PDB file of all heavy atoms in Angstrom:
ATOM      1  N   GLY A 194      26.630  64.026-121.681  1.00  0.00           N
ATOM      2  CA  GLY A 194      26.018  65.087-120.949  1.00  0.00           C
ATOM      3  C   GLY A 194      24.454  65.130-121.086  1.00  0.00           C
ATOM      4  O   GLY A 194      23.808  66.066-120.475  1.00  0.00           O
ATOM      5  N   GLY A 196      22.351  63.016-119.838  1.00  0.00           N
ATOM      6  CA  GLY A 196      21.657  62.627-118.654  1.00  0.00           C
ATOM      7  C   GLY A 196      21.449  61.101-118.546  1.00  0.00           C
ATOM      8  O   GLY A 196      20.515  60.732-117.807  1.00  0.00           O
ATOM      9  N   LYS A 197      22.156  60.241-119.261  1.00  0.00           N
ATOM     10  CA  LYS A 197      21.997  58.807-119.212  1.00  0.00           C
ATOM     11  C   LYS A 197      22.317  58.296-117.857  1.00  0.00           C
ATOM     12  O   LYS A 197      21.492  57.504-117.226  1.00  0.00           O
ATOM     13  CB  LYS A 197      22.846  58.139-120.196  1.00  0.00           C
ATOM     14  CG  LYS A 197      22.684  58.625-121.699  1.00  0.00           C
ATOM     15  CD  LYS A 197      23.598  57.952-122.599  1.00  0.00           C
ATOM     16  CE  LYS A 197      25.022  58.299-122.481  1.00  0.00           C
ATOM     17  NZ  LYS A 197      25.320  59.711-122.763  1.00  0.00           N
ATOM     18  N   THR A 198      23.457  58.708-117.279  1.00  0.00           N
ATOM     19  CA  THR A 198      23.890  58.099-116.008  1.00  0.00           C
ATOM     20  C   THR A 198      22.904  58.630-114.964  1.00  0.00           C
ATOM     21  O   THR A 198      22.404  57.907-114.024  1.00  0.00           O
ATOM     22  CB  THR A 198      25.275  58.479-115.636  1.00  0.00           C
ATOM     23  OG1 THR A 198      26.181  58.060-116.698  1.00  0.00           O
ATOM     24  CG2 THR A 198      25.765  57.915-114.323  1.00  0.00           C
ATOM     25  N   ALA A 199      22.579  59.905-114.989  1.00  0.00           N
ATOM     26  CA  ALA A 199      21.695  60.449-114.032  1.00  0.00           C
ATOM     27  C   ALA A 199      20.296  59.732-113.963  1.00  0.00           C
ATOM     28  O   ALA A 199      19.780  59.447-112.962  1.00  0.00           O
ATOM     29  CB  ALA A 199      21.503  61.991-114.293  1.00  0.00           C
ATOM     30  N   ASP A 276      27.794  51.475-116.534  1.00  0.00           N
ATOM     31  CA  ASP A 276      27.816  52.821-117.050  1.00  0.00           C
ATOM     32  C   ASP A 276      28.912  53.054-118.018  1.00  0.00           C
ATOM     33  O   ASP A 276      30.080  52.516-117.849  1.00  0.00           O
ATOM     34  CB  ASP A 276      27.986  53.635-115.811  1.00  0.00           C
ATOM     35  CG  ASP A 276      27.681  55.107-116.060  1.00  0.00           C
ATOM     36  OD1 ASP A 276      26.697  55.414-116.860  1.00  0.00           O
ATOM     37  OD2 ASP A 276      28.253  55.991-115.414  1.00  0.00           O
ATOM     38  N   ASN A 277      28.727  53.871-118.991  1.00  0.00           N
ATOM     39  CA  ASN A 277      29.682  54.333-120.010  1.00  0.00           C
ATOM     40  C   ASN A 277      30.323  53.104-120.725  1.00  0.00           C
ATOM     41  O   ASN A 277      31.557  52.983-120.792  1.00  0.00           O
ATOM     42  CB  ASN A 277      30.811  55.089-119.263  1.00  0.00           C
ATOM     43  CG  ASN A 277      30.315  56.451-118.918  1.00  0.00           C
ATOM     44  OD1 ASN A 277      29.576  57.088-119.636  1.00  0.00           O
ATOM     45  ND2 ASN A 277      30.729  56.936-117.758  1.00  0.00           N
ATOM     46  N   THR A 299      24.516  52.056-119.977  1.00  0.00           N
ATOM     47  CA  THR A 299      24.452  53.421-120.650  1.00  0.00           C
ATOM     48  C   THR A 299      25.675  53.502-121.606  1.00  0.00           C
ATOM     49  O   THR A 299      26.729  53.034-121.354  1.00  0.00           O
ATOM     50  CB  THR A 299      24.567  54.530-119.656  1.00  0.00           C
ATOM     51  OG1 THR A 299      25.985  54.756-119.207  1.00  0.00           O
ATOM     52  CG2 THR A 299      23.758  54.327-118.319  1.00  0.00           C
ATOM     53  N   ARG A 301      27.117  55.940-125.282  1.00  0.00           N
ATOM     54  CA  ARG A 301      26.903  57.078-126.232  1.00  0.00           C
ATOM     55  C   ARG A 301      26.506  56.430-127.638  1.00  0.00           C
ATOM     56  O   ARG A 301      25.998  57.166-128.450  1.00  0.00           O
ATOM     57  CB  ARG A 301      28.065  57.903-126.307  1.00  0.00           C
ATOM     58  CG  ARG A 301      28.345  58.680-125.050  1.00  0.00           C
ATOM     59  CD  ARG A 301      29.482  59.682-125.207  1.00  0.00           C
ATOM     60  NE  ARG A 301      29.921  60.049-123.925  1.00  0.00           N
ATOM     61  CZ  ARG A 301      31.056  60.653-123.570  1.00  0.00           C
ATOM     62  NH1 ARG A 301      31.945  60.836-124.489  1.00  0.00           N
ATOM     63  NH2 ARG A 301      31.330  60.949-122.320  1.00  0.00           N
ATOM     64  N   HIS A 465      32.986  65.454-115.283  1.00  0.00           N
ATOM     65  CA  HIS A 465      32.293  64.960-116.465  1.00  0.00           C
ATOM     66  C   HIS A 465      33.271  64.937-117.630  1.00  0.00           C
ATOM     67  O   HIS A 465      34.081  65.840-117.761  1.00  0.00           O
ATOM     68  CB  HIS A 465      31.038  65.693-116.816  1.00  0.00           C
ATOM     69  CG  HIS A 465      30.152  65.045-117.833  1.00  0.00           C
ATOM     70  ND1 HIS A 465      30.364  65.099-119.152  1.00  0.00           N
ATOM     71  CD2 HIS A 465      29.145  64.122-117.581  1.00  0.00           C
ATOM     72  CE1 HIS A 465      29.498  64.320-119.712  1.00  0.00           C
ATOM     73  NE2 HIS A 465      28.776  63.750-118.805  1.00  0.00           N
TER      74      HIS A 465
HETATM   75 MG1   MG B 552      27.302  58.907-118.106  1.00  0.00          MG
END
Side-chain angles (χ1 to χ4, degrees):
K197 303 178 290 297
T198 303
D276 195 33
N277 288 322
T299 80
R301 293 187 196 160
H465 196 274

